[in-house]
Amino acid sequence: MTVKHLLVEYNKVNEQGTFSPGDILSGKVTVMTSKETKVQCFLVKAKGKAKVTWCDQEGEATVVHSDKKIYFYFEYIILQDKNRGNGSEIIRPGRNVYPFTFVIPNIDMPSSYRGKWGNIAYSLQAKLTQSLWLVHKTKTEFPFLTKAEFPFASKSEMIITGLKEQQCATRISFYGTGKITLNVTSEKMGVKQGEAIAVSVEVLNNSAGTVTPKFYLCEKQTFVAKSKGIVHTNDILFATGDSVPAETSQTITKVLSIPLQLPPTFFNCSLMKLEYRLKVILDVNPAKDLEIKLPLVVLWGSPKPRQQHQRRSICFKNLPG
């Protein structure tokens, strides 16, 4: 093995290390050889690709659903055997460095993402071919960030205007002769990665039992392959509120922090999409739980410092009999 080391690296264009449509992607390929080495082809390629794959059991057969979409594909040939087979191109012994430059297409493409049954990846790969049986490869992925300000909505949708508006929902359920009313309010629908959001829960418990609110972040991943679809959901417990005894009412406010590394909401990929909801559940034993879901859009970016508001008091009172 005359090729001892093969490495592909890229140059960052900003402090975050992310790339976007229209950026210049440059770097170098480094190859270490122990002696003079003949090659048939030596190239570096850049690719942006979305791919989904999952399996379904249909009777005794396993059916594989798979699809992919190529956003761009470029090759830069460093060395190539002009005679196609006699290994006339030479790499001298020692450390050899070869620069390259690509221009990322200035088109709408989704951000990098890795989900349950699919991923959106942007990568560089160097490939050195000495013969049909002797091929060296190395690969690295680079983080890509879409330029779309709102990758979760089409231009015709008015969801954008509601990102800063308060979201509210109410649900009433009857348990025997008792009634439970659940009111949930979130201060807004759009929240940045790492940002905090206040959620208030008003519980009017006119039943005979104690109820306890629980706060969840609901993640929904949807994957599509040739008209077939599959959904993966995941609920993350944020917090548990104080119990509300029978025949009382109580208002509870929780400040919930969105995880900093949580992938942003997106719809701008034909093979997959990512959505979120805020969910509040009342444990009502032994009856079915009472729940409310509110829309939540996770935006890319650094959170702004949270303003200090006056703490909301907790209202705790007996219901009129």
Side-chain angles (χ1 to χ4, degrees), residues 231-289:
V231 173
H232 171 71
T233 58
N234 182 35
D235 289 357
I236 304 169
L237 177 63
F238 263 144
T240 300
D242 297 331
S243 297
V244 182
E247 304 297 332
T248 61
S249 67
Q250 186 173 348
T251 299
I252 303 166
T253 298
K254 290 285 185 181
V255 177
L256 310 176
S257 294
I258 303 301
L260 186 60
Q261 301 303 320
L262 195 70
T265 304
F266 71 87
F267 290 171
N268 63 337
C269 176
S270 60
L271 303 184
M272 65 192 83
K273 63 181 180 180
L274 178 64
E275 304 169 80
Y276 296 100
R277 296 287 188 274
L278 281 173
K279 180 169 69 174
V280 176
I281 293 180
L282 280 185
D283 282 339
V284 185
N285 294 318
K288 183 180 179 181
D289 292 341

Side-chain angles (χ1 to χ4, degrees), residues 113 151-153 157 159 189 217-224 230-236 262-268 272-278 293-299:
Y113 175 70
F152 48 82
E157 290 179 305
I159 191 174
M189 181 168 59
L217 171 66
C218 304
E219 177 190 47
K220 181 182 178 182
Q221 304 175 16
T222 304
F223 304 90
V224 179
I230 191 171
V231 173
H232 171 71
T233 58
N234 182 35
D235 289 357
I236 304 169
L262 195 70
T265 304
F266 71 87
F267 290 171
N268 63 337
M272 65 192 83
K273 63 181 180 180
L274 178 64
E275 304 169 80
Y276 296 100
R277 296 287 188 274
L278 281 173
K293 290 183 180 180
L294 293 178
L296 180 71
V297 175
V298 177
L299 306 168

Side-chain angles (χ1 to χ4, degrees), residues 87-108:
S88 60
E89 296 298 335
I90 304 298
I91 297 178
R92 65 179 184 272
R95 180 175 182 268
N96 298 269
V97 179
Y98 302 92
F100 62 84
T101 298
F102 298 107
V103 178
I104 299 175
N106 195 9
I107 58 176
D108 181 31

